[in-house]
């Protein structure tokens, strides 16, 4: 049995938010895209790393039901995130590996902030507006009751039997 598998190339300039146009002066890497279905199409979140400053950012854009980037929809989501309570400085400027999940009809994004020699990485989550892709509330750190490992990332959240669960890579 064979199926027709097709791939779609997205032009990088469609994914770079206008407010980050200065990054185009050097190499820009776009990767780790996550998609979630919305009532009008999809939201996509992805990591943006510009050679100009090396910072890890997260952008969000809207996509049609045919997975076409909606012109002008790319936003610098990580610039819009406010935290509650206060987190480390690295948590405010280093954004990696965005993932989406839906709970009770709401869209959430999770990400990690990498790790340093002295500290573990931290996981965060924020609710996003389905229409704009912008944060709807302050981001919160995901805290474990048990001990943390130095590197934790790529958590998967899901809802079953009226409970929320999380699974981390091991």
């Amino acid at each position: 049995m064979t199926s027709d598998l097709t791939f779609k190339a997205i032009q990088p300039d469609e994914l770079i938010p206008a407010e980050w146009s200065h990054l185009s002066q050097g190499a820009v890497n776009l990767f780790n895209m996550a998609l979630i279905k919305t009532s009008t199409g999809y939201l996509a979140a992805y990591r943006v790393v510009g050679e100009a400053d090396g910072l890890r950012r997260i952008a969000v854009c809207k996509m049609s039901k045919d997975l076409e980037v909606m012109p002008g929809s790319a936003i610098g989501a990580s610039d819009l995130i406010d935290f509650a309570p206060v987190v480390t400085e690295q948590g405010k400027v280093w954004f990696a590996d965005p993932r989406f999940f839906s709970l009770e009809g709401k869209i959430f994004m999770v990400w990690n902030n990498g790790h340093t020699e002295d500290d573990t990485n931290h996981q965060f989550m924020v609710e996003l507006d389905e229409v704009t892709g912008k944060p709807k509330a302050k981001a919160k750190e995901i805290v474990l009751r048990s001990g943390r490992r130095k590197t934790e990332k790529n958590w998967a959240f899901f809802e079953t039997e009226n409970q929320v669960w999380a699974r981390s890579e091991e």
Side-chain angles (χ1 to χ4, degrees):
M1 180 172 150
T2 61
S3 65
D4 294 328
L5 183 62
T6 60
F7 294 89
K8 172 154 183 56
I10 301 171
Q11 296 304 311
D13 58 335
E14 295 179 275
L15 297 173
I16 298 174
E19 61 269 30
W20 294 347
S21 62
H22 68 282
L23 296 177
S24 296
Q25 296 170 358
V28 179
N29 294 301
L30 306 163
F31 54 102
N32 286 359
M33 183 177 276
L35 289 173
I36 193 162
K37 190 167 180 42
T38 67
S39 60
T40 59
Y42 296 89
L43 282 180
Y46 42 94
R47 193 184 330 180
V48 178
V49 182
E51 181 181 54
D53 59 15
L55 290 179
R56 274 60 175 162
R57 297 170 169 89
I58 294 176
V60 170
C61 72
K62 296 187 289 184
M63 300 180 88
S64 70
K65 291 180 180 178
D66 296 325
L67 296 174
E68 299 288 338
V69 175
M70 305 300 284
S73 70
I75 60 169
S78 53
D79 288 353
L80 303 174
I81 293 172
D82 190 17
F83 291 90
V86 177
V87 299
T88 65
E89 283 305 308
Q90 170 141 342
K92 296 177 186 177
V93 298
W94 199 271
F95 298 81
D97 305 326
R99 302 287 184 261
F100 285 129
F101 67 95
S102 177
L103 292 175
E104 299 175 345
K106 300 174 184 174
I107 295 175
F108 292 87
M109 181 176 70
V110 297
W111 69 94
N112 73 79
N113 71 330
H115 69 271
T116 65
E117 293 283 326
D118 304 324
D119 198 10
T120 60
N121 69 341
H122 300 267
Q123 304 288 317
F124 302 94
M125 67 186 293
V126 68
E127 182 182 354
L128 297 182
D129 182 275
E130 176 182 320
V131 176
T132 65
K134 293 179 179 179
K136 288 183 75 171
K138 291 185 177 190
K140 297 178 182 174
E141 183 174 358
I142 301 164
V143 179
L144 295 177
R145 292 183 191 152
S146 62
R148 305 292 300 248
R149 293 176 300 203
K150 180 128 176 108
T151 303
E152 295 178 358
K153 57 184 180 175
N154 301 332
W155 289 23
F157 286 81
F158 58 97
E159 185 177 23
T160 186
E161 299 176 8
N162 297 321
Q163 293 188 20
V164 177
W165 298 86
R167 174 90 172 123
S168 171
E169 65 182 21
E170 296 190 78

